[in-house]
Amino acid sequence: MQNRYRWGFLAALLVSSLALADTVVDGASITDEQQGANWLSFGRTYSEQRFSPLTAINVDNVKQLGLDWLLELPGERSLLSTPLVVDGMMYFTASYSVIYAVDLRSRQIAWTYDPKVLDAAGERARIFWDSNRGVAYWKGKVFVATGDGRLLAVDAKTGKQVWSAQTTDPTKPLYINGAPRAFRDKILIGNGGTEVGATRGYVTAYDAVTGEQAWRFYLVPGNPADGFEDETQAMAAKTWTGEWWKHGGGGNSWHGWTYDPEFNRIYIGTGNGSPWNRKIRSPDGGDNLFLCAIVALDADTGKYAWHYQTTPGETWDYNSNMDIVLADLSIDGKPVKALMHAPKNGFFYVIDRSTGKLISAEKIGKATWATHVDLKTGRPVEVPGARYEDGEELIYPGPFGVHNWHAMSFSPATGLAYLPILELPFVFTDKDEKPATWQSPSFELDPGVRFSPGDEVELKIDAAWLLAWDPVKQKEAWKVKLPGVWNPGTMTTAGSLVFEGRADGQLVAYRAQDGESLWTFDTKVGISAPPVTYEVDGKQYISLLVGWGGGGASAAGNVTAQHGWAYGVHPRRLLTFALDGTTALPPTPAPHLTQPVVQEDFKIDPQLADGGNTIYGRKCLICHGVGGVAGGYAPDLRESQVPLYLEALRDVVVNGSRHERGMPQFKELTDKDLTALQHYLRYQARAGAKAASK
Ligand code: CA
């Protein structure tokens, strides 16, 4: 009898747990800030606050946090994804938009879905890297976007593709690395590409069930001769001069999408100009709407509601593609439906999202291009010379911004926003450009302006902080020094904690009120993804993907190479932490600093090396790094054996023998070009070896 009772009890438990495993992921559940068991959307809920109400792990016991289990992810490289958690299942993306579904009870991979991005992209793979920031989930389907421009719906249970929509014109240099957003049976996606061609940015919403296009909104106006799509485009066109459409205009939105259920609007963070240099893009000036702005659109129709432009007439790559975080704030004693945004340009904006009116804006880091934002006009007050109109100009920040795409979180408990910031100046000059005859590039890098750390400037390679910012006072609450510059996003909890990984591989928990470091775990590889927290069977866990990646890890050269997360050396993993977790991290190789091959008997021809520099800058730099110094995304070509032999170089670069490993084909390069690259790389290798021996 007792036995039967026991079995009955177990059966009831099983039934109740099955009944629990039935969350309908829709508008109501993604809006719900109170439930903490799941992490249903990119920023956890529609507010994008990345604030969890869970308190089991808190300031008093976080010292007992330990590694509970891990999953090895062999073959993966950049891991940037925010995992979603739905009823004990986790969904995240790894390299080239491969989706992993992980059963958090069995701790096994349930399925993977590979959209075969490199096959689909072919030679177009040269304009994007393997980066992808995650999936959306809506009513039983998982949605992912790809570097080659597709949006895909996959059945959450089986991992089988349901539909596929090509969201870009494959003849144009557009790519996607952002996580789609789901709302009202629609899936929204944008794209990037402003640096590699004449692009005209847009966002598109698709029907979640059928994959049919619901609406599209262009972020910059097209050629007036073709007729404008609507009055909004005609309005935007009044802020442009010259023949901007020949260069696309840009504005591409690759990140920074927030759905607001209270106003049924979607806020779009828009990109920089194409090209960056306004003298080329819009020669007689103009604000160039909707570059570097937040644009509010009706979520059902895509119709324009309002906009706020953070950098009018931008000319430095100061895009506004960063997170847009929603909160109810009390400002001057009045409740405000606020929106918070910290774009590249160095200011922190608080905006009334009911109207789009600016409430306040203050600097959160070093920004020398403007003195302040005039609250009467809502416009930045620029510093003379900042547009490099008088020749070379050293400007803070450079194109990496004060804040990049790494997630900002906000705690309603402390009233503070938590975000990684950095301080990297660049010298801008367009003295060698000819605006009147400048041609947009096609599938290679050329922003119409030269930018570099500059000869006389000591490049700062240790200038980053975790910043806690009070959006009401527009004041720093606390700040903690971080290593390097390329540090990942944050998460905060009702347990009064802030979690952030670091460029040097440490995962740290801070007290949310004052930034005191309470717990640290060495993951032994660079971290580029933000952590998430959730419950399985009532127990709180924290998970984090570890694996160095993203644009900064590839293109920033010494700044990111300093950590030693060299290509292909360190394992990629999903780590999961719990109170009293006791799992040991498996053996992991030490950081590897590049040993450039000097090759003493190689006679460098300076003219060839110079030509090689130009080719390298346009075709190789995006992945292999500034000056041949790889930050870890792709092999360091000063160390690689391949460039030592013309035949090997031709095989890899022209014939595409490493295509399946992500190395795109450059069929247009001649033996003369390859020889020039050899001379350039040997020159850089010697310079690197000399610097290292100092
Ligand atoms: Ca850009």
Side-chain angles (χ1 to χ4, degrees):
M1 192 65 192
Q2 216 170 8
N3 258 350
R4 196 185 290 171
Y5 172 75
R6 240 182 232 154
W7 284 116
F9 181 66
L10 280 175
L13 257 184
L14 193 65
V15 168
S16 77
S17 77
L18 284 175
L20 276 175
D22 210 12
T23 299
V24 178
V25 182
D26 60 3
S29 55
I30 301 176
T31 303
D32 186 358
E33 299 284 350
Q34 303 310 317
Q35 79 77 24
N38 291 327
W39 188 293
L40 299 178
S41 183
F42 185 73
R44 207 185 85 84
T45 59
Y46 280 135
S47 70
E48 305 277 336
Q49 288 179 358
R50 292 174 182 263
F51 171 79
S52 168
L54 298 182
T55 54
I57 298 168
N58 58 58
V59 279
D60 297 324
N61 62 18
V62 70
K63 281 193 166 52
Q64 293 152 37
L65 199 61
L67 182 64
D68 198 47
W69 59 278
L70 75 143
L71 194 62
E72 299 281 1
L73 300 168
E76 300 300 347
R77 283 164 287 186
S78 297
L79 294 178
L80 315 182
S81 184
T82 298
L84 303 192
V85 175
V86 184
D87 300 332
M89 287 291 293
M90 176 180 281
Y91 306 88
F92 62 85
T93 54
S95 293
Y96 293 113
S97 301
V98 171
I99 307 174
Y100 284 75
V102 177
D103 184 327
L104 296 171
R105 292 189 175 88
S106 70
R107 298 161 178 193
Q108 303 290 318
I109 295 168
W111 53 260
T112 60
Y113 170 78
D114 183 355
K116 304 277 182 205
V117 169
L118 288 167
D119 291 350
E123 285 184 68
R124 290 186 290 137
R126 62 174 67 188
I127 60 163
F128 59 87
W129 21 151
D130 69 341
S131 306
N132 187 274
R133 281 185 290 276
V135 296
Y137 194 111
W138 185 263
K139 296 182 181 172
K141 287 200 279 288
V142 180
F143 301 87
V144 70
T146 64
D148 58 288
R150 285 170 294 159
L151 179 66
L152 299 147
V154 173
D155 186 291
K157 283 209 166 63
T158 64
K160 296 274 177 287
Q161 185 182 306
V162 180
W163 56 256
S164 169
Q166 181 69 38
T167 77
T168 59
D169 174 350
T171 66
K172 298 209 165 98
L174 296 166
Y175 62 83
I176 306 175
N177 54 26
R181 295 298 195 284
F183 50 86
R184 290 175 68 88
D185 295 318
K186 290 183 182 63
I187 310 298
L188 180 113
I189 195 69
N191 51 63
T194 50
E195 285 79 26
V196 289
T199 63
R200 183 188 180 200
Y202 58 84
V203 291
T204 316
Y206 292 85
D207 185 292
V209 176
T210 64
E212 295 293 313
Q213 183 175 318
W215 54 259
R216 173 166 290 177
F217 182 85
Y218 283 96
L219 301 167
V220 295
N223 185 349
D226 298 338
F228 295 119
E229 285 81 1
D230 57 27
E231 66 277 11
T232 303
Q233 298 294 326
M235 178 262 276
K238 294 196 175 90
T239 66
W240 291 75
T241 57
E243 297 176 304
W244 71 85
W245 57 89
K246 287 188 173 167
H247 302 305
N252 296 60
S253 185
W254 46 268
H255 185 77
W257 309 313
T258 297
Y259 174 68
D260 184 344
E262 289 180 77
F263 295 94
N264 193 34
R265 284 177 188 152
I266 178 101
Y267 305 115
I268 308 297
T270 73
N272 50 276
S274 180
W276 296 357
N277 190 344
R278 188 178 66 170
K279 270 178 243 171
I280 297 171
R281 194 179 67 230
S282 186
D284 296 317
D287 287 352
N288 295 178
L289 294 176
F290 297 101
L291 298 184
C292 305
I294 294 173
V295 183
L297 305 174
D298 182 280
D300 293 339
T301 62
K303 286 245 175 325
Y304 167 89
W306 57 256
H307 77 273
Y308 175 78
Q309 191 174 37
T310 57
T311 312
E314 93 91 16
T315 200
W316 311 270
D317 189 28
Y318 288 169
N319 62 53
S320 252
N321 295 122
M322 283 70 233
D323 295 345
I324 298 165
V325 180
L326 313 183
D328 291 338
L329 299 180
S330 175
I331 297 174
D332 296 332
K334 289 193 206 91
V336 175
K337 295 284 174 198
L339 166 164
M340 293 171 279
H341 181 55
K344 278 187 186 175
N345 76 12
F347 288 89
F348 189 104
Y349 296 86
V350 178
I351 291 168
D352 179 342
R353 64 186 207 263
S354 66
T355 59
K357 197 178 171 313
L358 178 71
I359 294 170
S360 59
E362 290 294 337
K363 282 183 191 176
I364 53 169
K366 192 160 178 180
T368 61
W369 67 281
T371 56
H372 65 288
V373 174
D374 181 339
L375 293 183
K376 281 207 187 73
T377 61
R379 298 174 67 89
V381 178
E382 290 181 19
V383 171
R387 288 179 178 272
Y388 41 93
E389 65 270 31
D390 312 323
E392 280 193 354
E393 196 73 20
L394 174 71
I395 302 282
Y396 287 78
F400 288 98
V402 169
H403 172 228
N404 213 290
W405 57 266
H406 298 113
M408 168 166 88
S409 62
F410 173 79
S411 166
T414 62
L416 302 178
Y418 305 97
L419 65 161
I421 60 166
L422 60 116
E423 191 176 292
L424 253 193
F426 268 72
V427 173
F428 290 84
T429 178
D430 60 359
K431 66 179 193 298
D432 297 327
E433 306 289 350
K434 295 182 180 65
T437 54
W438 188 85
Q439 299 278 323
S440 283
S442 182
F443 292 91
E444 57 186 34
L445 182 70
D446 183 2
V449 54
R450 299 284 162 91
F451 59 106
S452 69
D455 294 336
E456 75 280 18
V457 180
E458 184 70 23
L459 184 62
K460 295 194 179 184
I461 59 170
D462 195 22
W465 299 265
L466 167 60
L467 175 69
W469 188 258
D470 184 328
V472 174
K473 294 182 190 149
Q474 282 281 20
K475 249 181 81 184
E476 177 186 316
W478 52 263
K479 196 155 91 170
V480 172
K481 187 77 191 67
L482 297 177
V485 295
W486 196 242
N487 289 283
T490 68
M491 169 187 80
T492 180
T493 76
S496 293
L497 293 167
V498 176
F499 288 87
E500 191 197 21
R502 310 195 328 178
D504 63 0
Q506 306 288 332
L507 173 63
V508 185
Y510 302 92
R511 183 155 49 212
Q513 284 84 356
D514 59 12
E516 187 178 326
S517 171
L518 300 175
W519 172 85
T520 301
F521 183 91
D522 186 359
T523 74
K524 299 195 185 295
V525 63
I527 303 169
S528 294
V532 296
T533 189
Y534 55 89
E535 284 176 339
V536 179
D537 300 328
K539 183 174 177 180
Q540 186 181 358
Y541 295 88
I542 289 163
S543 288
L544 173 73
L545 288 160
V546 294
W548 192 230
S554 63
N558 280 320
V559 175
T560 41
Q562 63 174 317
H563 305 295
W565 309 125
Y567 177 81
V569 175
H570 304 90
R572 271 41 182 164
R573 294 167 172 150
L574 171 70
L575 305 183
T576 296
F577 300 87
L579 291 177
D580 304 316
T582 54
T583 301
L585 201 64
T588 307
H592 170 83
L593 294 173
T594 296
Q595 308 295 318
V597 178
V598 170
Q599 217 187 16
E600 299 285 3
D601 57 345
F602 189 100
K603 242 182 119 91
I604 294 167
D605 177 329
Q607 223 177 335
L608 274 174
D610 202 42
N613 184 12
T614 303
I615 297 168
Y616 185 90
R618 294 181 75 102
K619 298 177 195 283
C620 319
L621 180 151
I622 288 181
C623 298
H624 291 281
V626 169
V629 184
Y633 168 73
D636 191 303
L637 299 180
R638 303 165 307 154
E639 186 178 52
S640 166
Q641 296 289 312
V642 172
L644 301 180
Y645 309 98
L646 186 63
E647 256 176 50
L649 195 58
R650 194 192 300 122
D651 191 47
V652 172
V653 177
V654 181
N655 300 337
S657 64
R658 293 193 183 170
H659 179 77
E660 81 287 351
R661 284 158 70 177
M663 174 62 200
Q665 241 178 314
F666 295 83
K667 284 184 191 159
E668 72 277 18
L669 290 179
T670 63
D671 275 2
K672 200 180 156 218
D673 296 333
L674 297 177
T675 306
L677 277 172
Q678 285 184 305
H679 283 257
Y680 171 67
L681 289 168
R682 290 283 66 76
Y683 178 85
Q684 292 300 77
R686 274 179 211 178
K690 207 169 152 193
S693 70
K694 268 187 190 163

